[in-house]
Amino acid sequence: MKVEIWSDIACPWCYVGKARFEKALAAFPHRDGVEVVHRSFELDPGRAKGDVQPVITMLTRKYGMSEAQARAGEENLGAQAAAEGLEYRTSGRDSGNTFDMHRLLHLAKERGRQDELIQTFYRANFAEERSVFSEGDERLVELAVAAGLDAHEARKVLADPTAYADEVRADEREAAELGANGVPFFVLDRKYGVSGAQPAEVFTQALTRAWGERPPLQLIDEGDAEACGPDGCAVPQQ
């Protein structure tokens, strides 16, 4: 069974929602049969690469809330994250364009390190003091290496603005086609969608339902053919 997760590194509910989903998945009896794929979704796709602002400033400008409301929201998110065992800096964080991080996540997918990289990005953005936005490409290369990627490959991707750009845009188009207008957005076997950072219990129910409704294997039998089994391999008789 495949679970696809549309998310953005700048999205705090994606950070929390991933932890809640993983809690459900860890207790799921068939977890070894579940493939998880992370898909790209930018909350602010039109934002210039050099446009880096404090999170509080971004919230007040983009959503029209007061500074007090923005700070209260960050405190609430910090409490929600802490309840899932996550670190979360409620002040001093900044925000910016995440397109290059999504491009690196597609490289990581090809190298089998996608989950490690997205978790590294989340931790760096929400828990660490150093910015993932204002220090340039070398900061992203450092994080890519920490997640198990090759530094030269990461630099090569970042130096070429077209590298994996089509893959990011394809993910975003697909999200729109599926009706996702916010993240996190979880799609199970292309049959069920779960929107938002739901409680772990909701993810457990969704996993159980999707697994139980998988179609049974249809065997195409064209007659007896040689095969190997627990008792050995069939040997053709002369």
Side-chain angles (χ1 to χ4, degrees), residues 210-236:
W211 184 272
E213 294 185 11
R214 292 177 306 138
L217 182 68
Q218 298 296 313
L219 183 64
I220 299 175
D221 189 352
E222 294 294 342
D224 294 334
E226 291 81 6
C228 294
D231 298 324
C233 297
V235 178

PDB file of all heavy atoms in Angstrom, residues 210-236:
ATOM      1  N   ALA A 210      -7.973   1.433   4.445  1.00  0.00           N
ATOM      2  CA  ALA A 210      -7.356   1.321   3.125  1.00  0.00           C
ATOM      3  C   ALA A 210      -6.722  -0.048   2.928  1.00  0.00           C
ATOM      4  O   ALA A 210      -6.823  -0.639   1.848  1.00  0.00           O
ATOM      5  CB  ALA A 210      -6.317   2.426   2.939  1.00  0.00           C
ATOM      6  N   TRP A 211      -6.089  -0.569   3.968  1.00  0.00           N
ATOM      7  CA  TRP A 211      -5.459  -1.888   3.852  1.00  0.00           C
ATOM      8  C   TRP A 211      -6.519  -2.975   3.644  1.00  0.00           C
ATOM      9  O   TRP A 211      -6.354  -3.881   2.830  1.00  0.00           O
ATOM     10  CB  TRP A 211      -4.638  -2.182   5.096  1.00  0.00           C
ATOM     11  CG  TRP A 211      -3.876  -3.481   5.019  1.00  0.00           C
ATOM     12  CD1 TRP A 211      -4.309  -4.729   5.365  1.00  0.00           C
ATOM     13  CD2 TRP A 211      -2.550  -3.654   4.519  1.00  0.00           C
ATOM     14  NE1 TRP A 211      -3.338  -5.671   5.128  1.00  0.00           N
ATOM     15  CE2 TRP A 211      -2.242  -5.044   4.615  1.00  0.00           C
ATOM     16  CE3 TRP A 211      -1.583  -2.787   4.012  1.00  0.00           C
ATOM     17  CZ2 TRP A 211      -1.014  -5.558   4.212  1.00  0.00           C
ATOM     18  CZ3 TRP A 211      -0.357  -3.312   3.616  1.00  0.00           C
ATOM     19  CH2 TRP A 211      -0.084  -4.676   3.717  1.00  0.00           C
ATOM     20  N   GLY A 212      -7.605  -2.879   4.387  1.00  0.00           N
ATOM     21  CA  GLY A 212      -8.648  -3.890   4.304  1.00  0.00           C
ATOM     22  C   GLY A 212      -9.399  -3.900   2.992  1.00  0.00           C
ATOM     23  O   GLY A 212     -10.002  -4.919   2.630  1.00  0.00           O
ATOM     24  N   GLU A 213      -9.372  -2.788   2.281  1.00  0.00           N
ATOM     25  CA  GLU A 213     -10.120  -2.691   1.027  1.00  0.00           C
ATOM     26  C   GLU A 213      -9.252  -2.860  -0.205  1.00  0.00           C
ATOM     27  O   GLU A 213      -9.709  -2.630  -1.328  1.00  0.00           O
ATOM     28  CB  GLU A 213     -10.853  -1.346   0.966  1.00  0.00           C
ATOM     29  CG  GLU A 213     -11.937  -1.230   2.025  1.00  0.00           C
ATOM     30  CD  GLU A 213     -12.756   0.039   1.897  1.00  0.00           C
ATOM     31  OE1 GLU A 213     -12.617   0.731   0.873  1.00  0.00           O
ATOM     32  OE2 GLU A 213     -13.533   0.324   2.824  1.00  0.00           O
ATOM     33  N   ARG A 214      -8.009  -3.285   0.004  1.00  0.00           N
ATOM     34  CA  ARG A 214      -7.181  -3.568  -1.165  1.00  0.00           C
ATOM     35  C   ARG A 214      -7.777  -4.736  -1.940  1.00  0.00           C
ATOM     36  O   ARG A 214      -8.237  -5.711  -1.345  1.00  0.00           O
ATOM     37  CB  ARG A 214      -5.749  -3.924  -0.743  1.00  0.00           C
ATOM     38  CG  ARG A 214      -4.960  -2.766  -0.134  1.00  0.00           C
ATOM     39  CD  ARG A 214      -3.595  -3.260   0.316  1.00  0.00           C
ATOM     40  NE  ARG A 214      -3.751  -4.401   1.209  1.00  0.00           N
ATOM     41  CZ  ARG A 214      -3.000  -5.493   1.174  1.00  0.00           C
ATOM     42  NH1 ARG A 214      -2.042  -5.613   0.274  1.00  0.00           N
ATOM     43  NH2 ARG A 214      -3.196  -6.477   2.028  1.00  0.00           N
ATOM     44  N   PRO A 215      -7.783  -4.675  -3.263  1.00  0.00           N
ATOM     45  CA  PRO A 215      -8.353  -5.785  -4.042  1.00  0.00           C
ATOM     46  C   PRO A 215      -7.495  -7.038  -3.884  1.00  0.00           C
ATOM     47  O   PRO A 215      -6.261  -6.952  -3.799  1.00  0.00           O
ATOM     48  CB  PRO A 215      -8.316  -5.271  -5.484  1.00  0.00           C
ATOM     49  CG  PRO A 215      -7.242  -4.228  -5.482  1.00  0.00           C
ATOM     50  CD  PRO A 215      -7.295  -3.593  -4.130  1.00  0.00           C
ATOM     51  N   PRO A 216      -8.125  -8.211  -3.831  1.00  0.00           N
ATOM     52  CA  PRO A 216      -7.341  -9.440  -3.731  1.00  0.00           C
ATOM     53  C   PRO A 216      -6.533  -9.671  -4.996  1.00  0.00           C
ATOM     54  O   PRO A 216      -6.903  -9.214  -6.077  1.00  0.00           O
ATOM     55  CB  PRO A 216      -8.410 -10.530  -3.546  1.00  0.00           C
ATOM     56  CG  PRO A 216      -9.643  -9.949  -4.161  1.00  0.00           C
ATOM     57  CD  PRO A 216      -9.566  -8.465  -3.903  1.00  0.00           C
ATOM     58  N   LEU A 217      -5.420 -10.368  -4.845  1.00  0.00           N
ATOM     59  CA  LEU A 217      -4.567 -10.671  -5.984  1.00  0.00           C
ATOM     60  C   LEU A 217      -5.295 -11.569  -6.976  1.00  0.00           C
ATOM     61  O   LEU A 217      -5.853 -12.597  -6.596  1.00  0.00           O
ATOM     62  CB  LEU A 217      -3.292 -11.372  -5.491  1.00  0.00           C
ATOM     63  CG  LEU A 217      -2.245 -11.719  -6.548  1.00  0.00           C
ATOM     64  CD1 LEU A 217      -1.629 -10.443  -7.116  1.00  0.00           C
ATOM     65  CD2 LEU A 217      -1.174 -12.615  -5.942  1.00  0.00           C
ATOM     66  N   GLN A 218      -5.292 -11.176  -8.225  1.00  0.00           N
ATOM     67  CA  GLN A 218      -5.896 -11.981  -9.283  1.00  0.00           C
ATOM     68  C   GLN A 218      -4.795 -12.792  -9.962  1.00  0.00           C
ATOM     69  O   GLN A 218      -3.887 -12.234 -10.578  1.00  0.00           O
ATOM     70  CB  GLN A 218      -6.582 -11.078 -10.308  1.00  0.00           C
ATOM     71  CG  GLN A 218      -7.724 -10.244  -9.731  1.00  0.00           C
ATOM     72  CD  GLN A 218      -8.874 -11.107  -9.235  1.00  0.00           C
ATOM     73  OE1 GLN A 218      -9.304 -12.023  -9.934  1.00  0.00           O
ATOM     74  NE2 GLN A 218      -9.355 -10.816  -8.043  1.00  0.00           N
ATOM     75  N   LEU A 219      -4.860 -14.097  -9.803  1.00  0.00           N
ATOM     76  CA  LEU A 219      -3.831 -14.981 -10.334  1.00  0.00           C
ATOM     77  C   LEU A 219      -4.172 -15.398 -11.756  1.00  0.00           C
ATOM     78  O   LEU A 219      -5.270 -15.882 -12.030  1.00  0.00           O
ATOM     79  CB  LEU A 219      -3.693 -16.223  -9.446  1.00  0.00           C
ATOM     80  CG  LEU A 219      -2.598 -17.225  -9.833  1.00  0.00           C
ATOM     81  CD1 LEU A 219      -1.227 -16.573  -9.712  1.00  0.00           C
ATOM     82  CD2 LEU A 219      -2.694 -18.474  -8.958  1.00  0.00           C
ATOM     83  N   ILE A 220      -3.231 -15.191 -12.661  1.00  0.00           N
ATOM     84  CA  ILE A 220      -3.377 -15.642 -14.043  1.00  0.00           C
ATOM     85  C   ILE A 220      -2.698 -17.002 -14.152  1.00  0.00           C
ATOM     86  O   ILE A 220      -1.489 -17.121 -14.001  1.00  0.00           O
ATOM     87  CB  ILE A 220      -2.750 -14.642 -15.026  1.00  0.00           C
ATOM     88  CG1 ILE A 220      -3.449 -13.288 -14.915  1.00  0.00           C
ATOM     89  CG2 ILE A 220      -2.802 -15.171 -16.450  1.00  0.00           C
ATOM     90  CD1 ILE A 220      -2.840 -12.202 -15.755  1.00  0.00           C
ATOM     91  N   ASP A 221      -3.489 -18.028 -14.343  1.00  0.00           N
ATOM     92  CA  ASP A 221      -2.980 -19.396 -14.356  1.00  0.00           C
ATOM     93  C   ASP A 221      -3.038 -19.935 -15.778  1.00  0.00           C
ATOM     94  O   ASP A 221      -4.106 -20.156 -16.345  1.00  0.00           O
ATOM     95  CB  ASP A 221      -3.817 -20.268 -13.420  1.00  0.00           C
ATOM     96  CG  ASP A 221      -3.200 -21.646 -13.215  1.00  0.00           C
ATOM     97  OD1 ASP A 221      -2.215 -21.950 -13.914  1.00  0.00           O
ATOM     98  OD2 ASP A 221      -3.709 -22.397 -12.360  1.00  0.00           O
ATOM     99  N   GLU A 222      -1.864 -20.109 -16.349  1.00  0.00           N
ATOM    100  CA  GLU A 222      -1.795 -20.648 -17.707  1.00  0.00           C
ATOM    101  C   GLU A 222      -1.338 -22.108 -17.690  1.00  0.00           C
ATOM    102  O   GLU A 222      -0.645 -22.577 -18.584  1.00  0.00           O
ATOM    103  CB  GLU A 222      -0.822 -19.795 -18.541  1.00  0.00           C
ATOM    104  CG  GLU A 222      -1.271 -18.368 -18.775  1.00  0.00           C
ATOM    105  CD  GLU A 222      -2.515 -18.273 -19.634  1.00  0.00           C
ATOM    106  OE1 GLU A 222      -2.835 -19.266 -20.318  1.00  0.00           O
ATOM    107  OE2 GLU A 222      -3.180 -17.220 -19.610  1.00  0.00           O
ATOM    108  N   GLY A 223      -1.690 -22.826 -16.631  1.00  0.00           N
ATOM    109  CA  GLY A 223      -1.275 -24.219 -16.530  1.00  0.00           C
ATOM    110  C   GLY A 223      -0.064 -24.376 -15.638  1.00  0.00           C
ATOM    111  O   GLY A 223       0.496 -23.409 -15.123  1.00  0.00           O
ATOM    112  N   ASP A 224       0.330 -25.594 -15.425  1.00  0.00           N
ATOM    113  CA  ASP A 224       1.457 -25.871 -14.540  1.00  0.00           C
ATOM    114  C   ASP A 224       2.755 -25.334 -15.144  1.00  0.00           C
ATOM    115  O   ASP A 224       3.011 -25.456 -16.336  1.00  0.00           O
ATOM    116  CB  ASP A 224       1.602 -27.376 -14.317  1.00  0.00           C
ATOM    117  CG  ASP A 224       0.411 -27.946 -13.549  1.00  0.00           C
ATOM    118  OD1 ASP A 224      -0.209 -27.163 -12.802  1.00  0.00           O
ATOM    119  OD2 ASP A 224       0.111 -29.140 -13.713  1.00  0.00           O
ATOM    120  N   ALA A 225       3.565 -24.737 -14.308  1.00  0.00           N
ATOM    121  CA  ALA A 225       4.880 -24.251 -14.724  1.00  0.00           C
ATOM    122  C   ALA A 225       5.859 -24.505 -13.595  1.00  0.00           C
ATOM    123  O   ALA A 225       5.482 -24.556 -12.419  1.00  0.00           O
ATOM    124  CB  ALA A 225       4.826 -22.767 -15.066  1.00  0.00           C
ATOM    125  N   GLU A 226       7.116 -24.671 -13.943  1.00  0.00           N
ATOM    126  CA  GLU A 226       8.122 -24.967 -12.935  1.00  0.00           C
ATOM    127  C   GLU A 226       8.257 -23.796 -11.969  1.00  0.00           C
ATOM    128  O   GLU A 226       8.183 -22.630 -12.352  1.00  0.00           O
ATOM    129  CB  GLU A 226       9.477 -25.244 -13.606  1.00  0.00           C
ATOM    130  CG  GLU A 226       9.532 -26.532 -14.404  1.00  0.00           C
ATOM    131  CD  GLU A 226       8.917 -26.402 -15.784  1.00  0.00           C
ATOM    132  OE1 GLU A 226       8.543 -25.265 -16.151  1.00  0.00           O
ATOM    133  OE2 GLU A 226       8.795 -27.422 -16.484  1.00  0.00           O
ATOM    134  N   ALA A 227       8.460 -24.135 -10.697  1.00  0.00           N
ATOM    135  CA  ALA A 227       8.632 -23.111  -9.669  1.00  0.00           C
ATOM    136  C   ALA A 227       9.394 -23.708  -8.505  1.00  0.00           C
ATOM    137  O   ALA A 227       9.548 -24.926  -8.395  1.00  0.00           O
ATOM    138  CB  ALA A 227       7.264 -22.582  -9.205  1.00  0.00           C
ATOM    139  N   CYS A 228       9.883 -22.831  -7.636  1.00  0.00           N
ATOM    140  CA  CYS A 228      10.570 -23.250  -6.416  1.00  0.00           C
ATOM    141  C   CYS A 228       9.689 -22.962  -5.217  1.00  0.00           C
ATOM    142  O   CYS A 228       8.958 -21.956  -5.182  1.00  0.00           O
ATOM    143  CB  CYS A 228      11.901 -22.520  -6.267  1.00  0.00           C
ATOM    144  SG  CYS A 228      13.119 -22.929  -7.535  1.00  0.00           S
ATOM    145  N   GLY A 229       9.749 -23.817  -4.211  1.00  0.00           N
ATOM    146  CA  GLY A 229       8.977 -23.638  -2.993  1.00  0.00           C
ATOM    147  C   GLY A 229       9.781 -24.062  -1.786  1.00  0.00           C
ATOM    148  O   GLY A 229      10.976 -24.372  -1.884  1.00  0.00           O
ATOM    149  N   PRO A 230       9.135 -24.106  -0.608  1.00  0.00           N
ATOM    150  CA  PRO A 230       9.838 -24.477   0.620  1.00  0.00           C
ATOM    151  C   PRO A 230      10.482 -25.856   0.553  1.00  0.00           C
ATOM    152  O   PRO A 230      11.477 -26.120   1.237  1.00  0.00           O
ATOM    153  CB  PRO A 230       8.726 -24.427   1.682  1.00  0.00           C
ATOM    154  CG  PRO A 230       7.687 -23.543   1.112  1.00  0.00           C
ATOM    155  CD  PRO A 230       7.729 -23.761  -0.365  1.00  0.00           C
ATOM    156  N   ASP A 231       9.903 -26.735  -0.262  1.00  0.00           N
ATOM    157  CA  ASP A 231      10.431 -28.101  -0.344  1.00  0.00           C
ATOM    158  C   ASP A 231      11.425 -28.290  -1.482  1.00  0.00           C
ATOM    159  O   ASP A 231      11.843 -29.410  -1.777  1.00  0.00           O
ATOM    160  CB  ASP A 231       9.270 -29.094  -0.514  1.00  0.00           C
ATOM    161  CG  ASP A 231       8.334 -29.063   0.681  1.00  0.00           C
ATOM    162  OD1 ASP A 231       8.840 -28.888   1.813  1.00  0.00           O
ATOM    163  OD2 ASP A 231       7.125 -29.178   0.477  1.00  0.00           O
ATOM    164  N   GLY A 232      11.823 -27.173  -2.140  1.00  0.00           N
ATOM    165  CA  GLY A 232      12.787 -27.294  -3.209  1.00  0.00           C
ATOM    166  C   GLY A 232      12.237 -26.822  -4.533  1.00  0.00           C
ATOM    167  O   GLY A 232      11.153 -26.225  -4.590  1.00  0.00           O
ATOM    168  N   CYS A 233      12.968 -27.084  -5.603  1.00  0.00           N
ATOM    169  CA  CYS A 233      12.573 -26.648  -6.939  1.00  0.00           C
ATOM    170  C   CYS A 233      12.143 -27.828  -7.785  1.00  0.00           C
ATOM    171  O   CYS A 233      12.724 -28.910  -7.697  1.00  0.00           O
ATOM    172  CB  CYS A 233      13.739 -25.934  -7.623  1.00  0.00           C
ATOM    173  SG  CYS A 233      14.255 -24.434  -6.776  1.00  0.00           S
ATOM    174  N   ALA A 234      11.125 -27.581  -8.573  1.00  0.00           N
ATOM    175  CA  ALA A 234      10.650 -28.643  -9.486  1.00  0.00           C
ATOM    176  C   ALA A 234      11.726 -28.925 -10.525  1.00  0.00           C
ATOM    177  O   ALA A 234      12.335 -28.004 -11.075  1.00  0.00           O
ATOM    178  CB  ALA A 234       9.359 -28.199 -10.161  1.00  0.00           C
ATOM    179  N   VAL A 235      11.968 -30.198 -10.782  1.00  0.00           N
ATOM    180  CA  VAL A 235      12.959 -30.608 -11.771  1.00  0.00           C
ATOM    181  C   VAL A 235      12.231 -31.233 -12.952  1.00  0.00           C
ATOM    182  O   VAL A 235      11.482 -32.206 -12.769  1.00  0.00           O
ATOM    183  CB  VAL A 235      13.956 -31.628 -11.177  1.00  0.00           C
ATOM    184  CG1 VAL A 235      14.957 -32.075 -12.241  1.00  0.00           C
ATOM    185  CG2 VAL A 235      14.666 -31.040  -9.968  1.00  0.00           C
ATOM    186  N   PRO A 236      12.378 -30.668 -14.130  1.00  0.00           N
ATOM    187  CA  PRO A 236      11.688 -31.242 -15.307  1.00  0.00           C
ATOM    188  C   PRO A 236      12.079 -32.698 -15.515  1.00  0.00           C
ATOM    189  O   PRO A 236      13.247 -33.065 -15.397  1.00  0.00           O
ATOM    190  CB  PRO A 236      12.168 -30.356 -16.461  1.00  0.00           C
ATOM    191  CG  PRO A 236      12.654 -29.105 -15.810  1.00  0.00           C
ATOM    192  CD  PRO A 236      13.182 -29.495 -14.476  1.00  0.00           C
TER     193      PRO A 236
END
